[in-house]
Amino acid sequence: AQSVTQLDSQVPVFEEAPVELRCNYSSSVSVYLFWYVQYPNQGLQLLLKYLSGSTLVKGINGFEAEFNKSQTSFHLRKPSVHISDTAEYFCAVQTGTASKLTFGTGTRLQVTL
Amino acid sequence: DTGVSQNPRHKITKRGQNVTFRCDPISEHNRLYWYRQTLGQGPEFLTYFQNEAQLEKSRLLSDRFSAERPKGSFSTLEIQRTEQGDSAMYLCASSPRTRNYEQYFGPGTRLTVT
């Protein structure tokens, strides 16, 4: 079975500062990796995904993530955050043979002036 | 695409009552998923359909829960004899045949059991 760990439950950051949200996964088979964002009272929106190929993937809203197989990590980064990035961010894993997503517990990104 | 829609958006019910939620996936998406999200947690998988066939159910889906997708389009999730522990956000997602790894989520139905 696969699992996802997001060690940081909350990350406070000032506007225009860089940010990294950490995600580690565990799986005995190859995986697809995803980051989703959830704004208050809304569903989840796909930010970016890693399926194969280049380990650096770029997503929407200026976010990017790097897949590191040896460290089983898929950390999310943004070089300069905006107030509108304040939201809950979820890392998720999907194995090649299963359609369900397994999510981490989420990281609350709080951007302030 | 008009997006995944869910109704109702909010439901308050008394313990012991039955409730039913509806999910309309993006047109022509053949896979439909249900997840449950409790406060402070990530979504947890409940079940999924490929067309009208229910292919997987989580252990979280007790016998009080039933899901259907009779014509391979919309789906319903029914909870019988609701308990306070059923209070959660119920999320629906759908994915297209050619990119079934991409799941598009609806806004969710928030259930409060009093």
Side-chain angles (χ1 to χ4, degrees):
Chain A
Q2 61 269 26
S3 66
V4 177
T5 301
Q6 293 182 249
L7 288 171
D8 306 305
S9 59
Q10 292 188 63
V11 172
V13 63
F14 290 113
E15 192 175 37
E16 297 184 3
V19 70
E20 178 179 83
L21 306 184
R22 297 181 293 168
C23 172
N24 288 87
Y25 69 93
S26 171
S27 176
S28 57
V29 298
S30 61
V31 296
Y32 297 154
L33 293 158
F34 304 82
W35 277 99
Y36 282 84
V37 61
Q38 187 175 34
Y39 299 100
N41 300 315
Q42 295 187 29
L44 283 77
Q45 180 182 9
L46 180 62
L47 270 181
L48 48 77
K49 60 184 180 289
Y50 171 78
L51 305 179
S52 64
S54 173
T55 57
L56 182 65
V57 292
K58 295 189 182 297
I60 62 172
N61 301 339
F63 284 93
E64 63 181 32
E66 185 155 20
F67 171 59
N68 187 317
K69 187 174 182 179
S70 62
Q71 296 188 0
T72 60
S73 68
F74 190 55
H75 300 332
L76 181 70
R77 302 187 188 103
K78 187 170 182 178
S80 176
V81 296
H82 190 267
I83 290 282
S84 60
D85 293 322
T86 295
E88 192 86 20
Y89 291 79
F90 292 96
C91 181
V93 63
Q94 182 185 61
T95 65
T97 57
S99 289
K100 64 184 178 185
L101 290 168
T102 299
F103 287 88
T105 51
T107 297
R108 169 79 176 162
L109 176 63
Q110 181 69 50
V111 182
T112 56
L113 296 172
Chain B
D1 288 335
T2 56
V4 177
S5 63
Q6 293 186 246
N7 288 288
R9 293 292 308 276
H10 303 275
K11 179 71 176 178
I12 300 174
T13 191
K14 293 187 176 180
R15 190 176 54 184
Q17 297 295 304
N18 299 344
V19 294
T20 301
F21 310 139
R22 176 178 169 128
C23 171
D24 287 87
I26 294 172
S27 178
E28 298 184 0
H29 279 196
N30 67 327
R31 288 190 178 183
L32 186 149
Y33 312 80
W34 285 99
Y35 293 84
R36 182 173 71 184
Q37 184 178 22
T38 53
L39 205 59
Q41 299 296 315
E44 296 173 294
F45 170 79
L46 292 178
T47 188
Y48 93 92
F49 294 83
Q50 181 166 293
N51 301 314
E52 64 275 10
Q54 188 172 18
L55 296 187
E56 187 176 350
K57 292 194 292 186
S58 162
R59 286 191 301 272
L60 291 175
L61 215 64
S62 75
D63 56 7
R64 296 185 297 106
F65 288 71
S66 62
E68 293 183 342
R69 195 184 183 197
K71 297 182 179 179
S73 57
F74 73 91
S75 175
T76 57
L77 177 68
E78 181 183 15
I79 309 175
Q80 295 182 328
R81 305 181 303 282
T82 53
E83 302 173 355
Q84 287 189 319
D86 297 330
S87 295
M89 176 78 86
Y90 290 84
L91 294 166
C92 176
S94 66
S95 63
R97 187 185 312 273
T98 54
R99 300 187 313 279
N100 57 35
Y101 46 79
E102 279 187 10
Q103 295 186 21
Y104 296 82
F105 283 80
T109 294
R110 181 168 295 285
L111 173 66
T112 301
V113 181
T114 61

